[in-house]
């Protein structure tokens, strides 16, 4: 039984039935059920005050286990120069001519650049961007594929403007003594190259059980692992009917009833997520009255005082889908890390900025089952 699929989750049966009921063709619904994930959505429920150690958190600073230093990337001088060439559009010849002498002599003491110099490693110590920490025990009621306890810490290695990202996930076992993130000394970021604007503010996170369906037009020859899975669900049908169902996938999303997240602009979702509003909770009259003047007309129609809030996408989710109309993110992960694309999953998907960028931390299912997190692939939705 595939624990990652919503069809195998008793607590998601109603959600799944409602989703599949939107498809008139039962064969199409059965095929798509192979792609509907047993996910967990995460919502900011309060501004983080660091009073609790090890809670689920987005942004700010992590609660690191005693003895663990804040993760850094070691970047040599030449590699750093390449980063500045890329970031500012200068040629390497310009850098060599105008910066080389001063840079070699003064860089590590220049307050404009801030990074610590590691004499032994002959490299700069560039802090990684902390993205989130997930308390697994807080989410164990919603899924069966994450560790039952302990914490997952997510970091992004992004010291230059390149889209080539490297993600790191650290597992902290239950019972390890933690140091509060509040105690971490101010990190030295160079604003010009690796500003940490996205997650300067920190939020406590709350999870709810959810389902995530793939964009149906991704099931095509560009993604053979998805097409193979769809065909496996159709084996009992005659070939002409199989072909009809596969063709219907291309327009399936157009036939869906409008959903909450599809009715809202992205900035509405960001604001909903940051105001402590959780789907399923009653929107009280006091909360309604206190909402700022930012509601769009769609949002105003959906927010009804003294009624449960409908579902909408969390600012982060676990076991969802990367969104690409071409090669799926797990194909890129398989090309980079080896193995088959169908054996990878999106461990964490998170809104990365107010410019609609969403970042995927992808892991091999076997590594997740073994509790090994040293092979992570990161990619934006595109």
């Amino acid at each position: 039984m595939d624990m990652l699929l919503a069809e195998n989750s008793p607590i998601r049966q109603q959600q799944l039935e409602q989703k599949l009921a939107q498809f008139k063709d039962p064969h199409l619904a059965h095929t798509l059920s192979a792609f509907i994930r047993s996910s967990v959505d995460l919502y900011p429920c309060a501004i983080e005050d660091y009073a609790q150690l090890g809670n689920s958190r987005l942004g700010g600073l992590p609660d690191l286990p005693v003895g663990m230093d804040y993760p850094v990337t070691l970047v040599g001088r030449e590699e750093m120069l390449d980063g500045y060439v890329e970031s500012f559009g200068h040629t390497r010849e310009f850098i060599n001519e105008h910066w080389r002498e001063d840079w070699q002599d003064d860089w590590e003491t220049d307050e404009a650049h801030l990074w610590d110099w590691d004499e032994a490693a002959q490299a700069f110590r560039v802090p990684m961007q902390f993205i989130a920490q997930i308390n697994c025990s807080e989410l164990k009621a919603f899924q069966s594929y994450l560790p039952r306890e302990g914490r997952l810490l997510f970091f992004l290695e992004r010291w230059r403007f390149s889209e080539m990202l490297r993600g790191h996930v650290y597992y902290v076992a239950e019972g390890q003594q933690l140091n509060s993130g509040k105690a971490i000394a101010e990190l030295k970021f160079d604003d010009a190259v690796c500003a940490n604007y996205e997650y300067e503010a920190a939020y406590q996170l709350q999870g709810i059980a959810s389902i995530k369906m793939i964009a149906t037009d991704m099931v095509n020859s560009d993604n053979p692992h998805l097409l193979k899975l769809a065909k496996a669900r159709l084996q009992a049908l005659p070939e002409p009917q199989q072909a009809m169902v596969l063709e219907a996938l291309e327009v399936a999303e157009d036939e869906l009833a409008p959903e909450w997240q599809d009715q809202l602009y992205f900035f509405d979702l960001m604001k909903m997520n940051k105001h402590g509003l959780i789907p399923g909770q009653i929107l009280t009259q006091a909360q309604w009255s206190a909402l700022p003047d930012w509601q769009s007309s769609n949002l105003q129609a959906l927010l009804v005082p003294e009624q449960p809030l409908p579902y909408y996408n969390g600012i982060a989710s676990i076991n969802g889908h990367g969104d690409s109309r071409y090669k799926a993110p797990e194909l890129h992960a398989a090309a980079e890390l080896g193995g088959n694309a169908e054996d990878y999953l999106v461990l964490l998907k998170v809104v990365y900025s107010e410019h609609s960028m969403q970042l995927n931390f992808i892991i091999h299912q076997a590594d997740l089952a073994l509790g090994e997190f040293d092979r992570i692939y990161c990619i934006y939705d595109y």
Side-chain angles (χ1 to χ4, degrees):
M1 183 172 71
D2 191 339
M3 297 183 296
L4 303 173
L5 292 181
E7 64 186 13
N8 297 319
S9 169
I11 64 174
R12 292 173 173 81
Q13 287 307 303
Q14 184 177 2
Q15 291 175 303
L16 183 63
E17 290 168 6
Q18 289 173 344
K19 173 66 70 177
L20 295 179
Q22 296 179 26
F23 300 98
K24 297 175 183 178
D25 184 345
H27 299 302
L28 178 58
H30 177 64
T31 303
L32 285 172
S33 65
F35 301 100
I36 300 180
R37 294 260 166 169
S38 177
S39 59
V40 179
D41 269 82
L42 299 163
Y43 301 83
C45 57
I47 299 295
E48 182 60 81
D49 59 7
Y50 297 94
Q52 181 183 356
L53 284 175
N55 58 306
S56 294
R57 177 183 307 158
L58 179 72
L61 291 166
D63 298 330
L64 297 177
V66 172
M68 177 179 174
D69 294 328
Y70 190 94
V72 298
T73 305
L74 293 176
V75 184
R77 283 188 170 94
E78 294 303 312
E79 195 176 7
M80 187 67 74
L81 276 177
D82 288 339
Y84 270 77
V85 168
E86 175 189 336
S87 300
F88 296 111
H90 297 310
T91 64
R92 187 60 186 266
E93 289 74 18
F94 177 91
I95 294 288
N96 288 339
E97 179 180 353
H98 295 280
W99 285 15
R100 169 68 64 180
E101 184 175 349
D102 291 339
W103 192 82
Q104 291 280 35
D105 294 338
D106 302 329
W107 187 279
E108 49 266 40
T109 60
D110 186 345
E111 292 183 359
H113 301 104
L114 298 177
W115 289 316
D116 289 328
W117 174 253
D118 188 319
E119 188 64 32
Q122 286 293 291
F124 295 101
R125 296 173 57 83
V126 181
M128 296 184 193
Q129 292 183 338
F130 170 64
I131 304 298
Q133 69 183 27
I134 302 300
N135 186 318
C136 296
S137 63
E138 293 176 354
L139 305 181
K140 65 182 179 182
F142 304 137
Q143 47 69 42
S144 53
Y145 42 81
L146 293 182
R148 298 291 83 196
E149 57 184 15
R151 290 155 184 85
L152 296 174
L153 306 181
F154 293 82
F155 291 86
L156 185 63
E157 184 178 334
R158 182 178 178 261
W159 59 270
R160 55 194 290 182
F161 289 149
S162 174
E163 295 303 301
M164 296 175 63
L165 306 170
R166 281 178 282 193
H168 298 265
V169 179
Y170 300 94
Y171 176 69
V172 180
E174 193 71 23
Q176 283 191 259
Q177 186 179 354
L178 303 176
N179 286 323
S180 172
K182 196 173 182 179
I184 294 176
E186 183 178 357
L187 299 175
K188 297 181 178 180
F189 285 100
D190 185 328
D191 288 347
V193 181
C194 69
N196 197 30
Y197 301 128
E198 288 85 356
Y199 291 123
E200 286 182 319
Y203 298 91
Q204 297 173 15
L205 290 176
Q206 180 176 327
I208 68 167
S210 61
I211 63 175
K212 287 286 189 289
M213 190 178 76
I214 198 168
T216 57
D217 56 2
M218 286 181 63
V219 185
N220 58 46
S221 57
D222 287 329
N223 296 301
H225 64 297
L226 301 179
L227 194 59
K228 177 183 176 182
L229 184 56
K231 289 180 176 179
R233 288 282 170 125
L234 296 169
Q235 283 182 345
L237 299 179
E239 286 191 9
Q241 195 168 357
Q242 289 186 34
M244 290 174 60
V245 173
L246 292 174
E247 288 178 10
L249 281 172
E250 298 179 8
V251 295
E253 282 190 334
D254 296 333
E255 299 176 355
L256 286 174
E259 292 190 31
W260 168 260
Q261 60 267 37
D262 295 328
Q263 297 178 52
L264 301 179
Y265 293 112
F266 188 79
F267 59 80
D268 277 333
L269 286 177
M270 289 286 289
K271 289 170 181 175
M272 286 288 289
N273 271 290
K274 290 185 177 181
H275 279 83
L277 301 176
I278 311 296
Q281 292 183 353
I282 300 295
L283 178 66
T284 66
Q285 186 66 51
Q287 286 176 315
W288 166 256
S289 301
L291 287 175
D293 214 9
W294 49 256
Q295 300 100 320
S296 67
S297 57
N298 284 338
L299 191 54
Q300 290 173 355
L302 290 165
L303 291 174
V304 181
E306 306 305 330
Q307 294 296 318
L309 284 163
Y311 171 78
Y312 68 96
N313 282 332
I315 200 166
S317 63
I318 295 166
N319 187 33
H321 289 284
D323 188 9
S324 167
R325 298 305 190 267
Y326 302 100
K327 288 187 176 181
E330 57 267 24
L331 272 175
H332 293 275
E336 178 74 18
L337 301 178
N340 300 315
E342 57 266 33
D343 295 327
Y344 284 87
L345 65 94
V346 180
L347 179 61
L348 181 72
K349 182 188 186 80
V350 61
V351 173
Y352 186 67
S353 75
E354 294 184 359
H355 302 293
S356 303
M357 298 176 74
Q358 297 196 72
L359 181 65
N360 300 283
F361 287 78
I362 298 176
I363 190 171
H364 196 282
Q365 293 183 35
D367 290 339
L368 179 59
L370 292 171
E372 297 177 355
F373 298 94
D374 54 347
R375 295 198 314 144
I376 296 292
Y377 183 78
C378 262
I379 188 171
Y380 292 121
D381 278 351
Y382 60 97

